[in-house]
Amino acid sequence: MWHGRFSQAPADLVLRYGESVSYDWKLYRHDIAGSIAHARAQKAAGMLTEEEFSAIETGLKGILADIEAGNFQWDIALEDVHMNIESELTRRIGAPGAKLHTARSRNDQVATDTRLYCRAEIDNTLELLREMQRALVAKAEEYAGVRIPGYTHLQRAQPVTVGHHLLAYVEMLARDAERLTQCRGRVNVSPLGSGAIAGSTINLDRAAIAAELGFDSVTENSMDAIADRDYIMETLFCLGVIGTHLSRMSEDLVLWSSAEFGYCTLSDAHTTGSSLMPQKKNPDVCELTRGKSGRLYGNLVSVMVAVKGLPLTYNRDLQEDKEPLFDSFETVDLALRVNAEMVGAMRINPERCAAAVSDPLLLATDLADYLVRRGVPFRQAHALVGKAVAVAVETGTPLSKLDREQFLAISPEYGEDVYAVFDLDRAFAMRTNPGTPNADNTARRIAHWKQQLA
């Protein structure tokens, strides 16, 4: 590329240290699409004849076919995906191939390629998010009415339902999709034509190139266009949050599938055994998902650290943006696929759930609300229920089985109807506000998501 200025070829160690084609070859589709659009603009500007453009387009499509057939030899001596493709094009078609790079730099070329890559992968991830949501909605509908304890601080708190619990993750994934969709809008801006830093004196129609490549607009500052990696950092952040949500769901399922909880059973196809203990059935998919969330965060941090101290515009440090980007998309892709499959095959164990949710202490807050409706200020009601709980614990009596005298000894505000508080059907029916786990709310939300995800 630069033999005119240099009298020595790069040292072998420099080539090995600086090459990126071992991973950025994954950009080949986008690189070829960008090159065809660029060549078309060159033709429109009179830089290429119709015959030259035709030779370039045909040559690039032939290279694309060879790459996809596995018949293309990548060469680290040519450093990257761009020079490998351009060099092969020139070898195949001669002089017209050497004209292709007119009015562009590898700087705006790689920025274009990575934006096209991000856009395509975001679209794929959005569909996988929908598949994950569909799996959760189907399972929420199947077990909509199965009641379980809800937890805070990993201590039993109040009763909820399996349907309500699983729909919480559907809501999280919806925010993930919204974030990615918004991110896609900022990704979908064309930097091609910005050159290395200040554009070119050969002015191609940037808007036409952008339109051919499906971009919404073009960048307005050539220096920012070349230096910008915000879109990669934002994409990695969005993928990291998806990892967070999948990791939290995984932790729930690790607990639910344990012998201590027993709320669910994961299929044999989505668990593994022990090399030593024959009885074991380990939730490895969940554990791997928890672990891979840290990998997603690391990818984001690595790019942010690489970018944070760079002066404008391009610096070779920016080559370090691709491996984390590729890895995060590939990690999230597989995580969403396998988790959707695992959730689809999961069984809930209603008997174990019913036994756990029968704990009357789960309705202690309802008991405080009962006193509030009888005119007791909430702070006082909270204390009175706390005393009742203490008596239940000290005497080994379930809260719902304290006798009338025990309740009256705590406060005369406990009426004869106090025992109705411990009716679970009544407890769920009284939660009528939007967002609460009653049957009507859950059914409405399931219907909403089925329509949205159809």
Side-chain angles (χ1 to χ4, degrees), residues 25-192:
W25 66 267
K26 295 176 183 179
L27 298 172
Y28 71 89
R29 290 188 189 89
H30 311 296
D31 194 74
I32 288 171
S35 290
I36 291 173
H38 182 73
R40 198 184 313 278
Q42 288 178 318
K43 182 186 72 169
M47 306 302 299
L48 294 175
T49 65
E50 182 65 45
E51 291 75 18
E52 288 172 325
F53 169 74
S54 180
I56 289 172
E57 182 179 34
T58 301
L60 287 171
K61 288 181 177 179
I63 291 171
L64 175 63
D66 286 346
I67 294 172
E68 295 191 331
N71 297 326
F72 189 87
Q73 187 66 43
W74 301 101
D75 183 357
I76 68 165
L78 293 169
E79 289 196 345
D80 56 35
V81 61
H82 322 296
M83 292 310 302
N84 268 263
I85 290 173
E86 183 182 319
S87 176
E88 178 61 16
L89 177 68
T90 302
R91 188 189 70 78
R92 293 187 183 192
I93 70 171
K99 293 184 175 183
L100 178 59
H101 207 56
T102 302
R104 76 174 181 187
S105 163
R106 284 194 299 174
N107 296 357
D108 60 347
Q109 191 177 359
V110 71
T112 301
D113 291 0
T114 52
R115 284 178 182 270
L116 291 171
Y117 171 84
C118 283
R119 188 181 72 192
E121 291 302 315
I122 285 172
D123 289 344
N124 176 65
T125 304
L126 287 170
E127 180 52 39
L128 291 176
L129 283 169
R130 287 190 285 270
E131 288 295 329
M132 184 74 233
Q133 287 179 293
R134 290 184 191 109
L136 286 164
V137 169
K139 199 58 58 173
E141 184 174 32
E142 184 178 357
Y143 296 105
V146 175
R147 295 162 180 171
I148 54 172
Y151 295 79
T152 65
H153 308 277
L154 206 53
Q155 305 293 314
R156 288 180 178 176
Q158 291 181 287
V160 295
T161 63
V162 170
H164 192 68
H165 193 118
L166 295 180
L167 287 176
Y169 287 105
V170 178
E171 300 286 344
M172 294 181 204
L173 297 175
R175 294 194 297 274
D176 292 333
E178 182 180 10
R179 262 187 296 272
L180 265 181
T181 300
Q182 293 169 348
C183 175
R184 187 190 191 282
R186 287 180 282 276
V187 164
N188 204 32
V189 181
S190 174
L192 201 56

Side-chain angles (χ1 to χ4, degrees), residues 149 151 154 156 252 254-264 349 352-353 356:
Y151 295 79
L154 206 53
R156 288 180 178 176
D252 275 338
V254 167
L255 293 171
W256 284 13
S257 63
S258 68
E260 286 72 18
F261 281 68
Y263 296 171
C264 78
N349 304 321
R352 289 294 296 269
C353 296

Side-chain angles (χ1 to χ4, degrees), residues 16 32 61 117 147 151 153 178 213 297 334 357 373-374 381 430 437 439:
R16 289 167 55 194
I32 288 171
K61 288 181 177 179
Y117 171 84
R147 295 162 180 171
Y151 295 79
H153 308 277
E178 182 180 10
L213 294 173
Y297 309 155
L334 190 53
V357 82
R373 284 192 294 274
R374 291 173 65 88
M430 290 184 70

Side-chain angles (χ1 to χ4, degrees), residues 5 126 283 345 407 447:
R5 167 65 178 83
L126 287 170
F407 273 120

